[in-house]
Amino acid sequence: MESTKLAEIGICSILFLRPEHRKNYTDKLTPEHFIFPQTKSVFNAIKNLVKNDKAIDSLSVFNQIEKDGISKFDSVKQLDLILTEEISDINIETYSEIILEEFGKRELTKFKNKLSKIIEEINYDNFSEKVGSLEADLKKISIHQSTTLESLSSILARFWRDFYREENQKFKLGIREVDEIMGGFSKGNLIVIGARPSIGKTTLLINICTNFVQNYSKNILYYTFEMTKYEVGSAAASRISKVSLAAIKNRKLSGKETSDFVGSISKEFNNFFHIDSLQNNYDIDKLKSSIRDAVRINNASLVGIDYLQLLSGTNNSKNGREQEISMISRALKGLALELGITIIVLSQLNRRLETREDKIPTLSDLRDSGAIEQDADIVMFIHREAFYTKTPQNENEATISIAKNRHGKTGVCNIKFYGNIATFEESKNENFWDFNTNSTKH
């Protein structure tokens, strides 16, 4: 019984502290599954508050418990002993399984006792009635019965109800030509940006993050495995201020550059952009835990990761690298859905691209795993021909190809790249190629 009590307290505490788990587990569990009156009343209160889209804090839970009348607490302080218990959400599924299994055992015991009684009472006249009663009890004990089926009318009703809600809006990358084709991205999306080394994928990710903060005033998290926090911050500052990255790094700013630098990096902007520098081969489970905590604390909407191949899986010694990368990409997609955020992850491309005459990347160039393509909602590639031809007149030319777009169009667009100020921006000629219409737009 002690493990059941700890599991019930654990579920209540996690649902109180971690909003990302509430919908899933208040759907999966019911108050009837709980055995202890106080945890049953807490769970029932949280479930009702979630159902009615109400704010959840100690006072609202306390008041809801008073209203429901299942079990009483003498004070909010007494309630907080359950609600604020420091319990990791890593084991939330285990807690749920313990609660459901114990519920099943209790119901089976009741069923056994009822069956013994029915065997003594059953006869020809009441046979159908008694068997029907037993069937209803057995159905109730099917604790793993799916409850996720939903009618089309219900789904469409929910769609129209949520249509204009902020959390369902489409976000833009901030480069017009790319956004024209891609159609924006949503919460829950996993976006993969691929390129060979030194082409500019880190620069593009920093551009997307700074554009996101400027356009939406929302928090972002930036995880890097190759650069220091200072280096990422310098690149973001160069992108915003248009001051040379070399001048920032070397601390050789002119009077005007100093003014531009200081004037463009507002305190508000700084507070939205959060950077963490991690060591190579960082464990995906540790990264997931870090992201969960950071999203909870900072209410972040976008996470950038630089880059995928520098992450390690939990069982990297047992599986090949391809399986390991597959597991990591699936984990990132699942995390984006779980937390209701967008995750943008950079990916290296296979070296064989360098041996081809045509250096433009394709989906088959994604390094280590085809599962990256399957898990991603959007896959885009960066190509700079001047990097290979060494022609100065084309050094600012770049193309971005949207090779996969689960919810929109694919295509290629020409943009400008300015490495000295860590910037990708719109092309002046405003041409791009739409794969879906086979036409050039102007």
Side-chain angles (χ1 to χ4, degrees):
M1 291 293 284
E2 186 64 25
S3 64
T4 307
K5 185 175 183 179
L6 291 173
E8 292 187 5
I9 291 173
I11 284 284
C12 291
S13 175
I14 291 169
L15 295 186
F16 179 74
L17 296 171
R18 301 292 180 91
E20 65 269 20
H21 295 302
R22 289 172 186 163
K23 181 67 171 66
N24 185 24
Y25 286 91
T26 54
D27 284 345
K28 185 174 184 177
L29 300 171
T30 70
E32 189 178 14
H33 293 141
F34 289 68
I35 187 171
F36 298 99
Q38 288 194 320
T39 49
K40 178 183 289 190
S41 64
V42 170
F43 177 82
N44 188 65
I46 292 174
K47 186 179 179 76
N48 285 331
L49 291 169
V50 170
K51 180 181 178 181
N52 296 309
D53 201 22
K54 300 290 186 182
I56 293 180
D57 54 38
S58 297
L59 184 58
S60 66
V61 173
F62 183 82
N63 290 336
Q64 186 67 44
I65 290 172
E66 292 284 305
K67 182 179 177 181
D68 295 336
I70 295 177
S71 178
K72 300 289 185 180
F73 286 84
D74 295 333
S75 65
V76 174
K77 186 175 181 180
Q78 183 190 22
L79 173 63
D80 278 341
L81 294 176
I82 292 177
L83 294 180
T84 58
E85 184 78 20
E86 284 296 328
I87 296 175
S88 170
D89 66 344
I90 293 175
N91 295 319
I92 187 170
E93 184 61 25
T94 302
Y95 297 148
S96 172
E97 289 173 358
I98 291 172
I99 292 168
L100 289 172
E101 286 172 4
E102 290 302 315
F103 169 75
K105 290 176 183 177
R106 294 195 303 272
E107 292 302 311
L108 280 171
T109 301
K110 292 179 186 176
F111 181 81
K112 176 185 173 184
N113 296 334
K114 184 174 182 178
L115 179 61
S116 299
K117 186 177 180 181
I118 284 178
I119 289 173
E120 296 176 0
E121 298 175 347
I122 198 165
N123 56 47
Y124 180 81
D125 293 327
N126 65 14
F127 182 85
S128 295
E129 176 189 345
K130 297 295 185 181
V131 170
S133 174
L134 290 173
E135 287 178 342
D137 289 341
L138 281 173
K139 184 177 180 180
K140 182 180 178 183
I141 297 170
S142 298
I143 59 176
H144 297 298
Q145 182 180 2
S146 173
T147 58
T148 58
L149 291 175
E150 187 176 1
S151 69
L152 178 60
S153 60
S154 172
I155 293 169
L156 291 176
R158 190 156 45 81
F159 171 81
W160 286 113
R161 184 185 70 232
D162 294 344
F163 189 80
Y164 292 106
R165 292 178 68 169
E166 180 185 0
E167 58 264 36
N168 294 307
Q169 77 178 99
K170 285 271 192 177
F171 300 106
K172 303 294 185 183
L173 292 183
I175 303 173
R176 189 186 62 78
E177 291 94 334
V178 181
D179 289 324
E180 285 268 2
I181 296 175
M182 200 173 77
F185 59 89
S186 306
K187 293 184 178 181
N189 282 174
L190 174 64
I191 301 174
V192 174
I193 299 174
R196 287 294 293 153
S198 303
I199 295 295
K201 57 185 180 293
T202 297
T203 298
L204 181 59
L205 180 56
I206 291 173
N207 276 226
I208 292 169
C209 290
T210 54
N211 289 342
F212 189 83
V213 170
Q214 287 180 308
N215 293 334
Y216 301 106
S217 297
K218 291 180 180 290
N219 285 305
I220 70 100
L221 310 174
Y222 191 103
Y223 291 90
T224 177
F225 300 98
E226 283 197 311
M227 301 168 68
T228 65
K229 296 177 184 179
Y230 175 80
E231 288 172 329
V232 174
S234 297
S238 176
R239 159 72 182 88
I240 297 299
S241 65
K242 304 298 183 186
V243 173
S244 164
L245 183 56
I248 294 172
K249 288 181 176 179
N250 296 327
R251 295 181 172 86
K252 293 182 178 180
L253 276 65
S254 66
K256 183 180 185 305
E257 287 175 331
T258 301
S259 177
D260 290 342
F261 179 81
V262 174
S264 63
I265 310 300
S266 67
K267 182 180 179 181
E268 182 182 29
F269 176 86
N270 292 339
N271 288 338
F272 283 121
F273 203 118
H274 308 275
I275 306 167
D276 200 356
S277 180
L278 308 172
Q279 71 270 25
N280 289 359
N281 297 317
Y282 197 76
D283 189 294
I284 180 60
D285 284 345
K286 291 180 182 177
L287 179 63
K288 285 167 62 180
S289 179
S290 175
I291 292 173
R292 285 193 183 102
D293 289 341
V295 167
R296 177 172 58 86
I297 294 169
N298 298 300
N299 193 30
S301 298
L302 178 69
V303 174
I305 301 172
D306 182 7
Y307 57 88
L308 179 64
Q309 283 76 18
L310 293 179
L311 276 164
S312 68
T314 52
N315 297 308
N316 56 326
S317 60
K318 298 179 181 179
N319 301 316
R321 185 57 175 162
E322 184 169 335
Q323 288 180 295
E324 190 178 8
I325 291 293
S326 297
M327 182 273 291
I328 293 169
S329 67
R330 281 193 297 271
L332 292 175
K333 173 57 182 175
L335 189 65
L337 289 170
E338 173 194 328
L339 301 181
I341 59 174
T342 302
I343 295 179
I344 303 177
V345 60
L346 303 183
S347 176
Q348 285 283 24
L349 301 182
N350 288 312
R351 288 190 181 93
R352 66 173 178 263
L353 181 150
E354 307 285 354
T355 65
R356 297 199 310 252
E357 185 176 348
D358 180 2
K359 303 292 195 297
I360 298 175
T362 64
L363 288 170
S364 63
D365 293 318
L366 284 170
R367 186 171 174 180
D368 293 322
S369 175
I372 302 172
E373 174 192 346
Q374 296 173 10
D375 296 325
D377 296 280
I378 297 167
V379 179
M380 62 176 69
F381 298 114
I382 313 167
H383 175 65
R384 292 195 295 116
E385 190 66 23
F387 179 81
Y388 298 102
T389 61
K390 310 299 181 185
T391 49
Q393 64 270 29
N394 297 325
E395 65 178 352
N396 299 128
E397 303 296 327
T399 60
I400 290 183
S401 58
I402 295 90
K404 178 188 176 181
N405 189 358
R406 183 169 285 151
H407 307 294
K409 299 187 292 185
T410 56
V412 177
C413 57
N414 298 318
I415 60 172
K416 294 293 185 181
F417 171 73
Y418 301 99
N420 61 320
I421 53 172
T423 297
F424 282 95
E425 63 180 33
E426 297 174 5
S427 175
K428 302 303 180 184
N429 61 22
E430 301 183 351
N431 291 339
F432 61 92
W433 184 263
D434 184 344
F435 287 168
N436 303 270
T437 61
N438 293 326
S439 62
T440 303
K441 300 191 176 182
H442 302 274

